Amino acid sequence: MKKILAIIAALLLILAAFPMAASASNPVSRDGYYKGIKLAGKVKIVRNFGDIKIKVVNSFPDIRVKLVDAFPRDIGEWEIVDYGEDFTVEIVNSFPDVRVEFVDSFPGVE
């Protein structure tokens, strides 16, 4: 009986720790920063040497991004520009820094 209770207790501890492990693996902080870069604002897409390497995904993103035409103030709101950018992104297929899902509503970090 004690062994069964010990196994159940161990399983409960593992299950309780799983959500923390999943959120710890997200490179984007809860307040929307990646390595000191606020993920909101004017963004320039470059071919090489971007500030952030992103991979566009349809599920399990690190951040959801809404493209806007003006005033990108909130986390996850990006305005694509040719100059005057706040940061640059390089779109890659492998080894991204951040996984991005483009959405029409509710941008941000979970």
Side-chain angles (χ1 to χ4, degrees), residues 63-83:
I63 186 170
R64 292 177 312 277
V65 172
K66 178 181 178 182
L67 297 177
V68 296
D69 293 328
F71 307 111
R73 293 184 182 133
D74 296 329
I75 297 298
E77 289 185 351
W78 291 5
E79 179 184 355
I80 305 299
V81 297
D82 292 327
Y83 57 90

Side-chain angles (χ1 to χ4, degrees), residues 5-109:
L5 289 175
I7 291 171
I8 292 172
L11 288 174
L12 289 174
L13 285 173
I14 291 170
L15 291 174
F18 182 75
M20 292 185 297
S23 66
S25 66
N26 190 344
V28 179
S29 68
R30 287 188 174 258
D31 57 349
Y33 284 82
Y34 172 75
K35 292 189 177 180
I37 300 171
K38 182 179 178 183
L39 298 179
K42 296 180 179 182
V43 179
K44 181 177 181 178
I45 299 173
V46 296
R47 289 183 182 233
N48 297 307
F49 307 111
D51 296 329
I52 304 171
K53 293 180 182 178
I54 66 167
K55 179 176 183 176
V56 179
V57 297
N58 292 324
S59 58
F60 305 109
D62 297 322
I63 186 170
R64 292 177 312 277
V65 172
K66 178 181 178 182
L67 297 177
V68 296
D69 293 328
F71 307 111
R73 293 184 182 133
D74 296 329
I75 297 298
E77 289 185 351
W78 291 5
E79 179 184 355
I80 305 299
V81 297
D82 292 327
Y83 57 90
E85 69 274 358
D86 297 319
F87 61 97
T88 60
V89 297
E90 177 184 349
I91 299 174
V92 297
N93 289 324
S94 56
F95 306 111
D97 297 324
V98 178
R99 295 180 316 267
V100 172
E101 179 181 11
F102 289 102
V103 297
D104 294 325
S105 58
F106 305 111
V109 181

